[in-house]
Amino acid sequence: MLNNKTSAFTFRLQNYLVKGILIILSSFFSFSIFAQKNESLAKTPPMGWNSWNKFQTSINEDLIKGIADSMIKDGYKDAGYTYIILDDGWMSMQRNKQGDLVPDPQKFPSGLKALSDYIHSKGLKFGIYNCAGDKTCAGYPGSHTYENQDAKMYAQWGVDYLKYDWCNTKDLKTQDAYTIMGNAILATKRPMVFSLCEWGISAPWAWAGNIAQLWRTSGDIYPCFDCEKRYETWSAWGIMKIVNMHQDIRKYAGPGHWNDPDMLEVGNGMSPAEDRSHFALWCMMSAPLIMGHDIRNASSETVSILTNKAVIAIDQDSLGVQAFRAYQKDSIDVWAKPLANKDWALCFVNTSSQTKDLNFEWHLNPIIDKDFDYTLNLTGVILAIKDLYNNKIIGLTKKPLKASIAPHDVLIVRLIKTKE
Ligand code: GLA
C-alpha cells in the first residue's frame, strides 16, 4: 500500500517536473506544440468598434474618445459592444532607442495609457493593432523579433485585444509567427483577445483554435452587396462574396474560437436593406461584430440595425453554432442556425434586384444540420415565427411562411415554442 502510494507520488512528481521543464523551454523557444491561449475569453463572438473601415490611418485621441462616448450615449454598449480597437496608423514611424513602439505624438499627445484609462473608465475595453512582419500594411513598425517587448508594452497600456496582421512577412510561416505572438501575450499574464488577420491564406481555422480567439477568413471587406473592388495587387470583397468564401468552414467555429469574415460595413454607404442583410448574415454566421462606421454621426436607421438585441442574440447565442445555407432557390438564400434553447434562427436573403415573394413550405424544406447533428423537428410541434427586425410574430409553422422581400433585403426570424 505504502509502496503504491509512494510510487504514485513519485510518478506525479516526475510528471510535474517534465511538464514544468517543457513549459519553461517552450516559452524560450515558442514551440508551436505548446501554444495555448486564455480559454476564458470570447465565449461568444467579440463585439466592438475598429477604426479602419471608416478612418484608415486618420485617427487621433479626440476621435477615439468621441467614439467611446457614443458607445454609451447611443446604446451600443448596452447592446453588447465592448472593444474599441485602434487599427493601423497609431504609431510613430520609428521605434525609440530602447526599441519600444511609440504612439504618434501628434495623434495621441496624451499617450495610449491615458486613452486606455479613458476607455476603461467607461466600462469598455481597449484593443490595438500590429503586424507579424517588419512593417504593418500601412508601413509602420511591425512586431517581427519584437514580439515579447511589444506584448509587455501592450500589457502596460492595459490592452485587452490584439489584432495581428500579415503584411511584410517575407518568408515567415503563419503558424510559427502567430504562435510566437500568442505566447508573448500569454507571458504578460494580461488577458487579451488574439485576433489573427492573415486573410485565410493558410487556412487558420485548421490550426489557430488553440492560440487565437478569432481569425480572418478572407481578404478585406468592401461596402457593397456583391462586388469585387480591385486594387493594384489585391481585391476587397462585397458582403455576398465574403459570405460565399466563408460558408464551408463552419465546423471550425465555436465558443472561444471564431471564423471572422471581417469587420462590419453597416452605416458605410450601402442601402438600409443591404445593411440589414449584412448584419443579419454576420449574426447568423456567429461572426465577431466589430463595427466600422463613424458611430458619432450615425443615422437612426444604422443605430437601430446595429443595436437590435433580438438579432444580436442570434450572434451571441451560447451554443455558438455558425449557420449553414440550407437552400438557395429563386434568388432567395435560406440560412439556418440552431440555438442553445432549442429554438432556431432562419434568415431569408433576397440576393436579386427584384422584390421576391417567399412561400416557404416547411414539410418540403426540412432543416437538417449535418455538421453538428441538429434537426428542426416540426412533427407534432407548432412553432411561432418571430420577425426579429420588426419584432412581431408573423405566423406559425403549421402554415407556409409567406412574405415579400425587397431587393437585397432580408427576413430574419426566430422559431419559438408555442403552446398551441
Ligand atoms: C489589412 C487588414 C485590414 C486593416 C489594414 C491596415 O488590409 O486586412 O483589416 O487592418 O491591413 O493596414
Side-chain angles (χ1 to χ4, degrees), residues 113-412:
K113 177 68 171 77
L115 185 64
S116 161
D117 288 346
Y118 186 84
I119 290 171
H120 288 139
S121 76
K122 306 265 166 192
L124 298 166
K125 295 191 179 228
F126 178 44
I128 213 164
Y129 162 100
N130 208 324
C131 187
D134 296 330
K135 289 195 159 122
T136 71
C137 299
Y140 296 86
S143 278
H144 181 45
T145 72
Y146 289 90
E147 292 85 356
N148 284 305
Q149 187 168 353
D150 291 352
K152 276 188 202 141
M153 185 59 92
Y154 302 149
Q156 278 170 28
W157 287 337
V159 167
D160 307 295
Y161 183 118
L162 174 66
K163 172 177 170 182
Y164 205 49
D165 213 340
W166 191 247
C167 284
N168 305 303
T169 43
K170 297 182 185 130
D171 51 3
L172 292 180
K173 297 209 169 26
T174 48
Q175 190 167 355
D176 295 346
Y178 282 109
T179 301
I180 289 171
M181 194 67 214
N183 284 337
I185 290 174
L186 272 184
T188 69
K189 305 259 188 320
R190 184 174 174 88
M192 285 182 222
V193 170
F194 191 30
S195 156
L196 309 194
C197 180
E198 51 74 275
W199 319 299
I201 52 176
S202 69
W205 43 88
W207 53 262
N210 67 340
I211 58 169
Q213 280 75 27
L214 60 156
W215 46 82
R216 279 275 294 279
T217 54
S218 58
D220 286 8
I221 196 167
Y222 190 78
C224 64
F225 191 68
D226 198 18
C227 72
E228 173 182 352
K229 166 81 179 159
R230 285 173 195 250
Y231 296 95
E232 245 169 60
T233 52
W234 59 286
S235 288
W237 307 97
I239 307 314
M240 296 311 294
K241 292 267 187 299
I242 287 191
V243 166
N244 289 333
M245 292 171 193
H246 190 81
Q247 56 171 327
D248 295 330
I249 50 177
R250 60 188 294 263
K251 55 178 180 294
Y252 297 100
H257 48 277
W258 306 103
N259 289 320
D260 174 9
D262 206 0
M263 304 169 294
L264 294 163
E265 291 281 18
V266 177
N268 279 344
M270 287 188 292
S271 71
E274 291 168 339
D275 274 353
R276 274 191 292 277
S277 292
H278 171 25
F279 192 61
L281 281 166
W282 261 233
C283 290
M284 291 296 288
M285 294 191 299
S286 308
L289 298 179
I290 308 294
M291 300 181 289
H293 65 304
D294 184 353
I295 70 171
R296 301 164 309 166
N297 302 302
S299 70
S300 55
E301 201 143 31
T302 296
V303 178
S304 87
I305 292 170
L306 287 164
T307 58
N308 184 310
K309 290 187 182 170
V311 180
I312 292 172
I314 304 304
D315 180 78
Q316 295 290 301
D317 186 76
S318 62
L319 193 61
V321 171
Q322 183 179 322
F324 59 102
R325 182 156 40 198
Y327 298 101
Q328 237 179 340
K329 267 183 215 159
D330 189 24
S331 303
I332 295 183
D333 285 7
V334 183
W335 292 84
K337 183 183 203 292
L339 302 172
N341 70 346
K342 305 216 163 85
D343 287 357
W344 280 75
L346 294 188
C347 181
F348 302 86
V349 188
N350 178 355
T351 60
S352 79
S353 356
Q354 282 90 45
T355 298
K356 289 282 165 188
D357 290 322
L358 172 73
N359 181 14
F360 192 74
E361 302 202 51
W362 299 98
H363 62 286
L364 295 181
N365 297 290
I367 303 284
I368 301 166
D369 178 349
K370 293 191 187 112
D371 292 322
F372 289 95
D373 200 17
Y374 292 101
T375 301
L376 169 59
N377 176 20
L378 292 175
T379 316
V381 185
I382 296 172
L383 303 175
I385 305 166
K386 185 167 187 191
D387 173 346
L388 299 182
Y389 274 131
N390 293 304
N391 189 27
K392 65 173 190 230
I393 303 289
I394 54 168
L396 298 172
T397 52
K398 67 182 178 187
K399 288 194 182 150
L401 171 59
K402 294 189 183 203
S404 169
I405 309 180
H408 294 182
D409 212 337
V410 70
L411 170 67
I412 178 168

